[in-house]
């Protein structure tokens, strides 16, 4: 079997071993497609683990990072309503409330009543939260540069174009897949 340790010390099969098992069990498989999709899946999983280690070094979680990122992506003044954040992150309102409570206690975000609509709550990134976001971005930039270091500029351009096309195809076919799917709630 492969040499990548997994949970409990088990090793994960190599892509080739996984593909051979799939072909043995399912003859209608296109081996090239399956190898590409499996490689993308593993890359995504491993990148999430790497990012999680980086955020942990800075004293936040990947979940905190996702909230900070959503607030930064919303643009200045970096604020959103909790329900908008929940939809953006694919969370239930209860899960979002729990996450916001924790982040308020850690000083990463503030939660205040909207001055124009006192019923509405606004979550805003704090200076400390923005600094954590910047720290993670600095670490991620180094990691991502290392990840792509063996690709030439032309290969990076080609990979960018190919992955963007794949992403567009999935987004067109599953336009609601950016957040929590109603059929999975």
């Amino acid at each position: 079997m492969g040499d990548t340790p997994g949970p409990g010390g088990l090793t994960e099969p190599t892509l080739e071993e996984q593909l051979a098992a799939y072909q043995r069990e399912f003859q209608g498989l296109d081996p090239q497609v399956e190898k590409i999709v499996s490689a993308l899946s593993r890359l995504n999983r491993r990148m999430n683990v790497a990012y999680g280690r980086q955020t942990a070094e800075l004293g936040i979680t990947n979940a905190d990072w996702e909230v900070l990122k959503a607030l930064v992506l919303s643009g200045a003044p970096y604020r959103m309503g909790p329900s908008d954040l929940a939809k953006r992150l694919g969370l239930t309102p209860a899960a979002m409330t729990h996450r916001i409570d924790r982040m308020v206690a850690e000083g990463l975000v503030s939660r205040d009543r909207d001055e124009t609509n006192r019923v509405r709550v606004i979550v805003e990134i704090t200076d400390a939260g923005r600094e954590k976001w910047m720290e993670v971005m600095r670490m991620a930039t180094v990691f991502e540069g290392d990840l792509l270091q063996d690709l030439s500029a032309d290969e990076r351009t080609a990979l960018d174009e190919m992955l963007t096309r794949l992403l567009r195809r999935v987004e067109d076919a599953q336009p609601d897949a950016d957040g929590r799917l109603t059929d999975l709630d």
Side-chain angles (χ1 to χ4, degrees):
M1 292 294 273
D3 58 4
T4 305
L10 298 176
T11 57
E12 183 176 32
T14 65
L15 282 175
E16 291 74 18
E17 291 167 337
Q18 179 179 335
L19 184 60
Y22 284 178
Q23 286 179 302
R24 180 185 69 239
E25 301 297 329
F26 183 71
Q27 281 68 44
L29 186 78
D30 180 331
Q32 185 180 42
V33 169
E34 189 57 39
K35 189 170 185 182
I36 291 168
V37 171
S38 294
L40 287 170
S41 177
R42 285 184 187 206
L43 179 61
N44 179 61
R45 188 175 68 244
R46 294 218 167 86
M47 287 178 68
N48 283 334
V49 168
Y51 289 133
R53 288 180 179 145
Q54 290 179 341
T55 58
E57 285 180 34
L58 298 174
I60 65 172
T61 65
N62 269 356
D64 297 339
W65 161 247
E66 290 298 326
V67 172
L68 296 175
K69 181 171 63 171
L71 291 168
V72 168
L73 290 175
S74 73
Y78 314 113
R79 53 194 333 205
M80 295 176 74
S83 61
D84 294 331
L85 273 169
K87 287 177 189 169
R88 173 84 47 95
L89 300 176
L91 298 173
T92 64
M96 190 74 249
T97 298
H98 176 71
R99 191 172 295 180
I100 291 168
D101 288 346
R102 191 179 75 256
M103 292 180 73
V104 166
E106 294 170 3
L108 299 172
V109 299
S110 65
R111 176 179 36 209
D112 296 301
R113 294 275 172 212
D114 185 343
E115 292 302 319
T116 61
N117 177 353
R118 301 293 293 164
V119 175
R120 187 167 186 241
V121 172
I122 297 293
V123 178
E124 185 172 351
I125 196 169
T126 62
D127 289 342
R130 181 142 172 92
E131 183 52 38
K132 283 290 183 189
W133 182 81
M134 293 295 288
E135 289 178 53
V136 173
M137 287 301 293
R138 285 190 280 275
M139 290 178 84
T141 299
V142 171
F143 168 72
E144 292 158 0
D146 288 347
L147 178 67
L148 299 174
Q149 71 181 340
D150 296 331
L151 301 180
S152 70
D154 288 343
E155 289 171 324
R156 288 180 184 202
T157 299
L159 182 60
D160 168 32
E161 291 169 356
M162 289 183 285
L163 291 175
T164 299
R165 281 197 326 257
L166 292 174
L167 180 59
R168 281 192 188 125
R169 179 173 293 278
V170 170
E171 288 174 341
D172 289 347
Q174 304 288 328
D176 61 348
D178 61 336
R180 189 167 185 83
L181 298 174
T182 56
D183 59 341
L184 298 179
D185 285 340

